[in-house]
Amino acid sequence: MLKARISLLNRVLARSYATAASPHALVFLEHNQGDLESASLSALTAASQLGGQVTGLVLGSPEEVPSVVEKAKRLNGLTTLLHCASPQYSTLLPETVSPLLEKLLSQNSPFTHVVSAHSSSAKSILPRVAAKLDVPAVSDITSLEHDAASGNTTFTRPIYAGNAISTVRASASIPIKFFTVRSTAFAAAGAGDATESEVKALDSVEVSDPPTEHLSTSLTKSDRPDLGVASRVVSGGRALKNAETFQSTLYPLADILGAAVGASRAAVDAGYADNSLQVGQTGKVVAPELYMALGISGAIQHLAGMKDSKLIVAINKDPDAPIFQVADVGLVADLFEVVPEMVEKLKQ
């Protein structure tokens, strides 16, 4: 009887000192024309904060993947790099990419977290895979904290157009924790000069008859910086009257500042600018060093996309415009008089 009690006590003690598995994150690295997306580099930074191993995953066509792998294997924080090249991955469709991820994350998978930027592709791929594996996904996180002892991971993410912050805890009972990262909340990972991560090739999972087919991609070409990563942004609102006035007023100022051009939802809906330039909850979320809001009233959905900017400058004729509540510098004036004057001063 005494031996039985001692044996039971030993088992209890052994369980009490058991620790959760060390985190091992799989980061989905997106790229465009051979260059890694800046948002994916921010996702890599977030994955590194988990405190464990970080494995990158690169998918694409046989023509693009080799050059991307050469760049990715030197990234700081990356321990292993997986890659798979196939013609069917030339354009990443959820129906063709999901089977590969499901296979990679199936039983006995070493991964505890799956991480990606909060991009259009990832927003369609990761939730699909998570649902197939019967686990939840947390989107658009702005911070994270992993408890190595318990295995819990705690995230924060904005809700209600950024007016509130939700704290979400993914417990250790969730075998694989999926989450996407708001790129403006994490610095982009850089390349190191010392060591290179281990590189491994994966076999593709061919989908014989995919239900979706990619037909074409239409991009708005511009010599200006990309809106999502630009350090300076000049945005215009509905007050700019029409597309011609929008361009003639904003573009000279943006060019002389070396800034990207953005637009409010009202300006996009009115046809002043392409929807790829929309800043806000239903557009792009930006956090540049300088954000200039010209003729933008400051609707809640627009503020959600730019209020984390370091310096916000607002010009509006309405002194009660909500944009002035978040602006660091505000000017109540006619933008059609002020902006040309600013351009002339900056030329000097």
Side-chain angles (χ1 to χ4, degrees), residues 37-343:
E37 295 282 6
S38 176
S40 289
L41 301 182
S42 297
L44 175 56
T45 298
S48 300
Q49 294 182 7
L50 293 168
Q53 296 184 63
V54 179
T55 295
L57 175 63
V58 173
L59 304 178
S61 67
E63 294 78 22
E64 291 183 336
V65 167
S67 62
V68 176
V69 168
E70 284 300 313
K71 298 172 184 177
K73 69 182 183 181
R74 297 184 176 89
L75 292 173
N76 291 324
L78 206 60
T79 53
T80 307
L81 180 63
L82 305 178
H83 64 90
C84 183
S86 171
Q88 73 172 355
Y89 300 145
S90 298
T91 302
L92 299 181
L93 299 175
E95 292 82 0
T96 56
V97 174
S98 297
L100 174 63
L101 287 172
E102 290 172 44
K103 179 182 176 181
L104 192 60
L105 300 170
S106 58
Q107 291 183 352
N108 301 320
S109 168
F111 302 111
T112 59
H113 298 76
V114 178
V115 192
S116 174
H118 193 61
S119 64
S120 298
S121 294
K123 285 189 287 186
S124 59
I125 295 172
L126 260 64
R128 181 187 184 96
V129 178
K132 289 277 188 144
L133 298 177
D134 197 25
V135 294
V138 183
S139 62
D140 202 20
I141 69 138
T142 53
S143 72
L144 63 89
E145 183 179 353
H146 182 74
D147 185 356
S150 65
N152 297 335
T153 307
T154 304
F155 308 97
T156 61
R157 57 183 302 271
I159 57 175
Y160 300 122
N163 288 301
I165 300 297
S166 172
T167 301
V168 182
R169 177 174 296 152
S171 68
S173 62
I174 301 174
I176 303 177
K177 302 169 181 64
F178 285 72
F179 64 94
T180 60
V181 172
R182 176 171 289 198
S183 59
T184 57
F186 298 87
D193 298 325
T195 59
E196 296 181 356
S197 56
E198 181 184 4
V199 178
K200 298 179 181 179
L202 297 175
D203 293 329
S204 63
V205 178
E206 297 296 328
V207 179
S208 57
D209 187 21
T212 303
E213 178 186 359
H214 176 258
L215 298 179
S216 64
T217 300
S218 178
L219 298 175
T220 302
K221 295 183 179 179
S222 174
D223 295 330
R224 299 183 183 86
D226 179 65
L227 178 60
V229 297
S231 60
R232 299 172 183 175
V233 175
V234 176
S235 284
R238 185 163 45 190
L240 285 155
K241 299 180 180 180
N242 54 54
E244 292 74 19
T245 307
F246 185 95
Q247 295 179 15
S248 62
T249 305
L250 261 65
Y251 286 11
L253 179 59
D255 290 340
I256 202 166
L257 290 174
V261 171
S264 68
R265 178 175 178 175
V268 170
D269 289 346
Y272 302 174
D274 187 80
N275 60 4
S276 64
L277 302 181
Q278 183 176 325
V279 174
Q281 184 182 13
T282 54
K284 292 184 178 179
V285 176
V286 299
E289 296 293 326
L290 171 65
Y291 187 88
M292 299 190 70
L294 309 180
I296 295 176
S297 62
I300 289 176
Q301 78 90 23
H302 184 78
L303 299 183
M306 46 67 70
K307 66 180 182 180
D308 291 331
S309 303
K310 308 302 183 292
L311 179 65
I312 300 174
V313 178
I315 301 176
N316 201 297
K317 286 200 300 184
D318 181 5
D320 297 322
I323 191 69
F324 289 125
Q325 297 177 11
V326 298
D328 300 290
V329 179
L331 178 61
V332 179
D334 187 341
L335 69 89
F336 297 110
E337 297 176 0
V338 172
V339 173
E341 187 176 348
M342 290 175 61
V343 172

Side-chain angles (χ1 to χ4, degrees), residues 7 9 13 31 35 43 46 154 169 189 208 224 270 346:
S7 177
L9 179 61
L13 289 173
H31 54 91
D35 293 322
T154 304
R169 177 174 296 152
S208 57
R224 299 183 183 86
L346 289 169

